[in-house]
Amino acid sequence: MFPIHEEEEYTAPDAHILTADDNVMNLDVFCRILKDTKIQIDTAGNGAEALELLEKNSYHIVFLDHMMPVMDGLEALKRIREKGMCQNTPVIVLTANAVAGEKQMYLDAGFDDYLSKPIVGKALREMVRTRLPEGLLKRNVTGSTPPAHGVKEEPENAAQKEGLLKQLDDVLDTAVGLSYCCDEETFYQEMVSTYRKNQKTDELRKCYQEEDWDNYRILVHALKSTSLSIGATGLSEQAKALETAAKETDISYIKENHQKVMTEYQILLDRLSEIIGQDKTEETVVENGEEKPSILVVDDDVMNLQIAEKMLADGFRVYTADSGEKALDFLKSQIPELVLLDIHMPGMNGFTVLEKMRADRVYREIPVIFLTADDDRDTEVRGFQAGALDFITKPFVADIMLQRVNRILQLDRLQKNLQQEVEKQTKVAEERRRKVERLSVQVMSALAATIDAKDAYTNGHSARVAEYAKKIAMRIGKSEQEQEDIYYVGLLHDIGKIGIPGEIINKASRLNDEEYTIIKEHPVIGSNILKNISEMQDIGVGARWHHERYDGKGYPDRIGGEDIPEVARIIGVADAYDAMTSKRSYRDIMPQAAVRAEIERGKGTQFDPAVADVLLAMIDEDKEYRMHEM
């Protein structure tokens, strides 16, 4: 890739670099490594943002992460090349997959170089030094003031940081982490703090629950890289295994190991929070490998909030809000598993809060228990009608509160598990349907190939006619499903030739009247073969009527104009085009001009004029006469 010599210090204040990565920690590491060089650095969160910056600014080097949501690095590079950007600017891929085959793939894709993640400080600085124009570099002379990362710390600060490093050493391989942070303890500790702040637990759980394996792969890919960069080597390896499973669609492995990895991830985050003294109000508590359910208690009486929190604290993560407005604000940032909601509050009462929750698809599934001092049947009826699942009366009784809370949570889990099972079985049924559909397509393709095999000169004819018909259907505004249906009809339009003797089909000279009469039977034969296929009622339309003419002089039924089904009119034009552009036993492929003239001549007589015009437009766009080669 590039030679790494003994590191050479430099600055380049006039240089301008763009780096794109969806992971904030990676961007922080990148910028921190180059901080002492005084290079101007712009950052982007994905390929699309990078393109926007490239349209506004000029850069001396562009770094693109490979795996990013919205637009990844490969797609961004493709757009850059298409737009003629960065013609004299090196574009370098940042990747955690820098193995031999992948490296060559990046170079073949058009990247100028690649840099492995986690980023090693010396490697990045050396790459930037060798890639920047020589005139922008200002080399530091030996004996000059050392860069900021070499400034000596006060003894007291150094001792504090050394103590913190020892604590981190209990949970991380700090030697590995320091190696990715230029062996700077301050930098390393900042990166550990950034790692904790930018945790992706919620995003990972969401992707796992929704079975969004593409984005799940992106997230575990990032977890692999960032964990290694702070020295969480075991977690990095586990994330790597999940990434591989997602890439290979090994869903069973993911489902067997996801929760174990998430538990280890959360335990690490908790330990880091303890060590570096960060606020833990939003952390997820894990006990015995299982998360405590979270509950939001809403009551305008502070004493009631304190009592409820005390009663629930041992088994749950408890959050409180003293008004309906604050409760809705809380829900915007965090989704609890249960809400205990006071009915009578100043401002927004409990019924209004519940109404707003049920109106929002994000919150409507959260179970709610009303809190009330009322002993009023009408209030209970109104509460159940509004969507509350239970009531807890005030003043609170600990045993009753715990029993009702646990019962509602168990009921909610049961319902969600049942729903997940229904969704799972629905997906299984859908996959079976798709398999049957794929099998049907394969059978139809095999039948079409069998038909075409009877005539050495028309091999592939049915598939080409189906493709032309589908393209015509698309251009006249048919839906994707209608286009697919027309394709299948086209695929089997000549199935009746199975009943025609081979010596007639393969006759090298023109057919006599008797032979022509026999071959004209194939539309009826085909229609009879296909008429009992109930799943696609129009499958036999193309077979029976693709030789009808718009002027009513075709066969077998001599119908014309709009009486010919539209599908058959489309296939008739496609069939004629392929006949003229294919080599036959009695002639070669016709020149494109002659083909066009024949289609033009047949408008209103042999062909539906509107359909013929669509094909003529396709011919006119086919400047190099390549359409018939599909």
Side-chain angles (χ1 to χ4, degrees), residues 273-485:
S273 294
E274 293 170 6
I275 293 169
I276 60 181
Q278 295 290 345
D279 176 36
K280 297 179 67 177
T281 56
E282 293 186 0
E283 71 179 359
T284 301
V285 179
V286 175
E287 285 193 354
N288 299 322
E290 295 185 3
E291 297 175 11
K292 286 184 177 181
S294 59
I295 297 177
L296 172 63
V297 184
V298 187
D299 198 306
D300 62 301
D301 189 316
V302 175
M303 182 175 176
N304 284 335
L305 293 177
Q306 292 174 344
I307 292 171
E309 186 172 10
K310 182 70 174 175
M311 289 178 175
L312 297 169
D314 286 344
F316 306 94
R317 287 175 288 138
V318 183
Y319 303 93
T320 60
D322 60 11
S323 71
E325 293 83 357
K326 289 181 181 178
L328 293 176
D329 285 341
F330 175 88
L331 293 176
K332 293 176 183 177
S333 61
Q334 190 161 342
I335 305 296
E337 290 164 77
L338 176 66
V339 174
L340 305 185
L341 181 60
D342 186 24
I343 292 178
H344 301 295
M345 295 183 290
M348 189 181 294
N349 66 31
F351 286 112
T352 304
V353 174
L354 181 55
E355 181 183 355
K356 290 184 178 294
M357 288 176 63
R358 294 296 178 251
D360 192 313
R361 65 180 183 83
V362 177
Y363 315 133
R364 67 174 57 136
E365 300 300 328
I366 303 173
V368 172
I369 297 176
F370 269 144
L371 307 176
T372 180
D374 296 339
D375 187 10
D376 179 359
R377 179 176 175 79
D378 290 340
T379 300
E380 283 194 18
V381 171
R382 184 184 174 192
F384 285 126
Q385 288 175 340
L389 296 182
D390 206 344
F391 283 79
I392 295 176
T393 57
K394 295 187 284 188
F396 302 136
V397 178
D399 288 344
I400 293 175
M401 175 175 276
L402 288 170
Q403 286 177 14
R404 295 198 174 187
V405 164
N406 282 318
R407 183 178 66 82
I408 294 301
L409 285 173
Q410 288 170 2
L411 177 63
D412 185 58
R413 287 194 196 100
L414 180 62
Q415 289 175 332
K416 286 177 179 174
N417 288 339
L418 180 60
Q419 182 179 352
Q420 288 174 357
E421 184 62 25
V422 170
E423 290 173 355
K424 177 182 175 182
Q425 293 304 323
T426 301
K427 287 179 180 178
V428 169
E430 177 63 19
E431 179 57 29
R432 286 175 181 163
R433 185 195 66 77
R434 285 197 294 266
K435 285 181 178 179
V436 170
E437 189 175 274
R438 288 195 295 269
L439 179 60
S440 299
V441 173
Q442 291 166 3
V443 169
M444 284 190 284
S445 298
L447 281 172
T450 301
I451 298 159
D452 292 346
K454 292 192 72 173
D455 184 349
Y457 287 95
T458 60
N459 189 31
H461 166 72
S462 297
R464 291 193 298 273
V465 169
E467 196 62 47
Y468 299 142
K470 182 179 179 182
K471 290 181 182 297
I472 293 171
M474 179 187 69
R475 290 186 176 229
I476 63 177
K478 298 297 182 183
S479 68
E480 288 188 10
Q481 185 58 57
E482 288 173 318
Q483 292 172 42
E484 289 298 314
D485 290 345

Side-chain angles (χ1 to χ4, degrees), residues 90-193:
V91 181
I92 297 165
V93 65
L94 301 172
T95 176
N97 297 325
V99 296
E102 296 284 342
K103 290 177 180 178
Q104 191 58 48
M105 182 270 288
Y106 293 127
L107 296 178
D108 292 343
F111 283 103
D112 295 289
D113 214 331
Y114 45 81
L115 188 63
S116 298
K117 292 197 303 183
I119 297 171
V120 177
K122 291 181 180 180
L124 174 59
R125 286 198 290 258
E126 177 67 10
M127 176 169 280
V128 170
R129 184 186 68 78
T130 57
R131 288 289 182 176
L132 282 178
E134 186 69 22
L136 294 175
L137 294 171
K138 297 181 180 179
R139 289 176 171 78
N140 293 330
V141 180
T142 303
S144 63
T145 303
H149 65 263
V151 175
K152 188 175 181 181
E153 298 181 85
E154 293 296 325
E156 184 178 350
N157 291 337
Q160 289 175 349
K161 289 174 181 175
E162 185 179 352
L164 190 60
L165 197 63
K166 285 183 178 178
Q167 292 182 68
L168 290 172
D169 209 25
D170 292 336
V171 292
L172 299 171
D173 188 335
T174 54
V176 171
L178 282 165
S179 71
Y180 289 112
C181 295
C182 311
D183 291 320
E184 300 173 31
E185 293 182 15
T186 301
F187 183 10
Y188 175 52
Q189 289 163 17
E190 287 177 4
M191 288 305 100
V192 172
S193 179

